[in-house]
Amino acid sequence: MMRENAAMGADLSYLYSLGKTDLRLGYSFNHEYHNTNNPLFRLDRVMGADSSRYDVLPSTTLALDEAIDTKNSYRSIDYADEHVAYLVFYHSWPSFRGDLSVHLPVAFSKKWLHYDRGNHQDVNRSRVFFNPKMTFEWGRKWRWSLGATMSSTMPDLVSMADYEDDADPLHIRRGNRTLKDLHHYDVTWSTRHGGTLQSLFHVQWGFHQTDHAVAWSLTFDEANGVSTVQPVSVNGNWHTDASVGYSRALDKASRWSIDNQLTAGYNHNIDMATVASSSSSIRSVVSNWQAGDNVKLTWRPNDGYELSLHGAGNYFYIHGERSDFSDIHAGNYSLGLNAFVSLPCHFQLSTDMTMYARRGYQQSEMNTTDWVWNAELTRSFVKGHLVAKLQGFDFLRQLSNTSYAVNAQGRTETWHNSIPRYAMLSLSWRFNVNPKKKNAE
């Protein structure tokens, strides 16, 4: 596959200031160009030929060059132009440290796609989008913040091309010209307060919604075992989340400190899924509830020593409206200890040991308990410019290349090609450039 990409843009604006109020009127232009060429070949058309062998005759090599899969080879050239006229309003209230910013852009967007795949077809779409954004912050001891945004985008034009890809004869992909524009809505609110003994309290909440999200619908032909997938637009995806955090020193000398973070969220997820009793995808509605807490207690008598005990837990309740969906009541929790010690001869040692546990999942392989112990020894030389570091990871050999997780629609399994347990020695040189101080006149 060969790709060429190019982009250019320009922005012109005028700022008019009226004391505590600023008005900015502007215009911006963005252009993008993408050229993709993906030739595919049918080597089965030249029996017994292998172009990587050194003893292949020239005539066979030429035959391989002509064995192109014309149906699935493609070339796409797409352009995107966006003209944006915008007005930005800003006003400040010094009496209560208030700041209001309102961004009002109107975007004139147009996309073209020239698509060659067996035949030539042109796909284009023009839209006018209004993407406003507002942020408002105020308060002194208690700092409040409120934000709201709305944005719209077009779907990928290649997904809207009228094509059928059967390079994998058992897995066919098709485009869909009826895909709709995507619309995103976001609202956030937060407050924070700083008090004595380095205390900090904060609360935040957010709501996010996406209209016409792109999902992939599948149809399975039981007669020949062929699966056909196609993008479709779905509605009803939204989620909300909230968190409460509190941290403070426990004594006047700030040797002891505690940090606690509470989280909660709900995700209403709409996707396309295939069930055992149907040969085609159906609309899948899954509700996800989450609640968790993360607490950390730290003791730091001086700059050379630090010890912390931390624990965390998350509970998940996942409910699906499909007949074949089994509800999930599961939880993850961890408990660990971190330490930092300054050793003689300018050595520094940091280590952590944490137990990660998962319980309540229906598959036994997902209910795991892993003890992970890591350590790091560092030493600096040449006035701190040269740093030598020896790292050891997963001393107890508890980690695996295969990990299991639960996404918004159920379970996923991921395999990583990695080395979970290792030791590594590294050397690094620090370059510090400090500008010369100018004498004040």
Side-chain angles (χ1 to χ4, degrees):
M1 178 182 292
M2 296 172 290
R3 293 181 177 177
E4 296 179 6
N5 301 310
M8 61 176 294
D11 185 274
L12 179 65
S13 63
Y14 176 76
L15 175 64
Y16 183 72
S17 182
L18 292 171
K20 300 179 181 64
T21 302
D22 291 339
L23 290 175
R24 182 184 295 274
L25 182 64
Y27 162 81
S28 65
F29 169 74
N30 292 286
H31 172 78
E32 293 184 5
Y33 165 82
H34 306 280
N35 185 355
T36 304
N37 188 15
N38 186 31
L40 300 177
F41 298 91
R42 293 286 302 272
L43 300 183
D44 58 318
R45 293 178 182 174
V46 183
M47 299 302 297
D50 182 359
S51 61
S52 64
R53 289 169 46 189
Y54 67 90
D55 57 346
V56 174
L57 297 177
S59 60
T60 304
T61 303
L62 292 175
L64 285 175
D65 292 339
E66 296 176 357
I68 190 168
D69 186 354
T70 56
K71 180 179 179 180
N72 296 308
S73 298
Y74 66 88
R75 181 181 182 184
S76 65
I77 302 176
D78 60 278
Y79 306 84
D81 286 343
E82 184 178 57
H83 303 265
V84 181
Y86 60 88
L87 173 66
V88 179
F89 171 83
Y90 173 82
H91 184 78
S92 63
W93 293 269
S95 58
F96 61 97
R97 292 184 60 191
D99 298 282
L100 173 64
S101 177
V102 180
H103 191 192
L104 304 174
V106 178
F108 302 85
S109 301
K110 187 169 185 178
K111 291 184 177 181
W112 300 266
L113 171 66
H114 305 290
Y115 199 68
D116 291 295
R117 192 176 196 140
N119 59 354
H120 178 79
Q121 55 180 306
D122 293 320
V123 181
N124 59 77
R125 176 173 284 194
S126 300
R127 291 292 186 270
V128 178
F129 293 133
F130 178 54
N131 300 323
K133 177 181 178 181
M134 183 275 294
T135 57
F136 184 34
E137 294 187 357
W138 70 97
R140 293 185 178 274
K141 292 184 178 181
W142 285 87
R143 190 66 178 171
W144 303 81
S145 177
L146 179 64
T149 62
M150 182 177 72
S151 61
S152 301
T153 57
M154 299 185 198
D156 180 24
L157 292 189
V158 175
S159 301
M160 299 180 61
D162 185 14
Y163 74 92
E164 181 178 287
D165 184 346
D166 62 353
D168 182 351
L170 296 179
H171 189 78
I172 300 175
R173 297 168 64 96
R174 290 177 177 169
N176 185 359
R177 284 185 174 270
T178 64
L179 289 179
K180 299 179 180 179
D181 298 328
L182 285 78
H183 305 288
H184 308 276
Y185 309 92
D186 299 273
V187 179
T188 58
W189 169 87
S190 67
T191 182
R192 65 183 185 271
H193 173 71
T196 59
L197 294 177
Q198 300 178 1
S199 63
L200 177 63
F201 174 79
H202 69 87
V203 181
Q204 61 182 21
W205 169 83
F207 175 83
H208 318 275
Q209 178 177 325
T210 300
D211 292 344
H212 306 148
V214 177
W216 286 86
S217 175
L218 181 144
T219 302
F220 180 72
D221 190 338
E222 297 181 356
N224 53 24
V226 175
S227 299
T228 303
V229 295
Q230 186 179 37
V232 295
S233 297
V234 295
N235 274 330
N237 282 284
W238 61 274
H239 69 274
T240 181
D241 52 79
S243 66
V244 179
Y246 180 71
S247 62
R248 60 164 293 170
L250 298 178
D251 60 331
K252 293 183 179 180
S254 298
R255 293 187 178 94
W256 290 89
S257 63
I258 190 170
D259 181 83
N260 189 44
Q261 305 291 328
L262 286 167
T263 61
Y266 172 77
N267 184 1
H268 189 259
N269 189 264
I270 310 294
D271 204 349
M272 303 298 294
T274 304
V275 298
S277 59
S278 177
S279 60
S280 59
S281 296
I282 62 172
R283 182 180 169 92
S284 175
V285 182
V286 179
S287 299
N288 299 261
W289 285 266
Q290 176 271 333
D293 187 25
N294 191 328
V295 61
K296 182 177 181 180
L297 178 65
T298 303
W299 177 59
R300 186 183 179 93
N302 51 54
D303 293 338
Y305 300 90
E306 182 177 304
L307 183 67
S308 62
L309 177 66
H310 59 88
N314 281 282
Y315 170 75
F316 303 95
Y317 171 52
I318 303 177
H319 169 73
E321 298 182 5
R322 305 197 315 263
S323 59
D324 66 332
F325 194 97
S326 299
D327 291 352
I328 298 175
H329 298 266
N332 305 337
Y333 62 93
S334 64
L335 182 65
L337 181 69
N338 296 352
F340 170 82
V341 180
S342 292
L343 301 176
C345 300
H346 305 287
F347 281 96
Q348 293 180 335
L349 174 66
S350 60
T351 182
D352 65 89
M353 179 178 287
T354 305
M355 183 271 293
Y356 300 93
R358 301 155 57 89
R359 296 293 184 268
Y361 296 96
Q362 297 169 353
Q363 289 77 20
S364 59
E365 66 269 19
M366 298 184 68
N367 297 313
T368 59
T369 301
D370 300 319
W371 287 87
V372 181
W373 180 23
N374 309 319
E376 179 180 289
L377 183 66
T378 60
R379 172 69 156 84
S380 60
F381 304 90
V382 196
K383 298 182 179 180
H385 291 286
L386 180 63
V387 179
K389 182 183 298 183
L390 177 62
Q391 293 176 294
F393 188 74
D394 191 21
F395 291 125
L396 304 179
R397 308 186 71 171
Q398 295 279 300
L399 296 181
S400 171
N401 278 342
T402 304
S403 62
Y404 305 92
V406 174
N407 61 9
Q409 284 286 320
R411 172 193 155 189
T412 61
E413 179 176 330
T414 305
W415 186 84
H416 304 274
N417 186 15
S418 60
I419 302 175
R421 181 173 180 258
Y422 65 87
M424 181 174 62
L425 176 64
S426 63
L427 294 173
S428 61
W429 183 272
R430 294 177 178 175
F431 295 91
N432 296 326
V433 178
N434 298 321
K436 295 181 179 180
K437 296 182 179 180
K438 295 182 178 180
N439 296 326
E441 296 182 358

